[in-house]
């Protein structure tokens, strides 16, 4: 999937006012996700996403995998976006459901295996996860 296609899907799914808002939210959510993944997995995910998104994942993953759950993930998204917890969940789902469409099923399974089950619904995969 091309970068502009990815952002268009996020914009539509998240009902954002413009492409710039979709782009800002996308980079925020993926950057926080990368902080939760093992750096090798972040690189594997990055390999299946468009260049600017790949760069965000690789850059944010440099600190190593953090051990935070989905609530902390959403709190970080809310803080980064200056939003409520509910809006953060909306933002995260808009981006992560688009990731689900953009990557292979095997890669998605690899990502979900590294995350507690509370993350799966954010990817549109309720009931799945590691």
């Amino acid at each position: 999937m091309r970068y502009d296609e990815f952002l268009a899907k996020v914009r539509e799914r998240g009902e954002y006012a413009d492409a710039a808002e979709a782009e800002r939210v996308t980079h925020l959510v993926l950057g926080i996700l990368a902080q939760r993944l093992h750096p090798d997995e972040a690189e594997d995910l990055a390999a299946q996403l468009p260049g600017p998104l790949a760069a965000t994942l690789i850059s944010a993953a440099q600190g190593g995998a953090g051990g935070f759950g989905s609530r902390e993930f959403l709190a970080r998204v809310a803080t980064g976006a200056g939003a409520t917890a509910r809006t953060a969940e909306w933002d995260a789902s808009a981006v992560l459901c688009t990731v689900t469409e953009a990557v292979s099923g095997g890669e998605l399974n690899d990502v979900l295996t590294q995350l507690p089950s509370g993350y799966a619904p954010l990817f549109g995969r309720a009931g799945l996860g590691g």
Side-chain angles (χ1 to χ4, degrees):
M1 183 180 295
R2 292 187 337 252
Y3 185 63
D4 61 329
E5 291 173 320
F6 192 99
L7 293 180
K9 287 181 180 282
V10 170
R11 182 179 178 189
E12 179 181 337
R13 190 172 264 129
E15 300 177 8
Y16 299 113
D18 55 36
E21 184 179 10
E23 184 174 39
R24 180 183 54 77
V25 167
T26 297
H27 285 276
L28 172 68
V29 170
L30 291 179
I32 295 169
L33 177 65
Q35 294 169 13
R36 180 57 179 83
L37 297 173
H38 186 279
D40 289 343
E41 187 54 46
E43 286 184 26
D44 290 348
L45 179 59
Q48 294 193 24
L49 294 175
L53 302 180
T56 293
L57 282 163
I58 291 169
S59 174
Q62 296 307 309
F68 52 90
S70 59
R71 284 189 182 187
E72 175 64 21
F73 173 80
L74 292 173
R76 291 179 184 202
V77 171
T79 299
T84 66
R86 187 80 174 136
T87 300
E89 186 174 352
W90 179 270
D91 290 342
S93 290
V95 174
L96 298 178
C97 286
T98 305
V99 167
T100 297
E101 291 180 16
V103 303
S104 71
E107 180 54 33
L108 181 62
N109 286 339
D110 289 348
V111 168
L112 289 173
T113 297
Q114 286 199 7
L115 302 171
S117 61
Y119 282 84
L122 298 174
F123 286 86
R125 299 290 191 250
L128 300 177

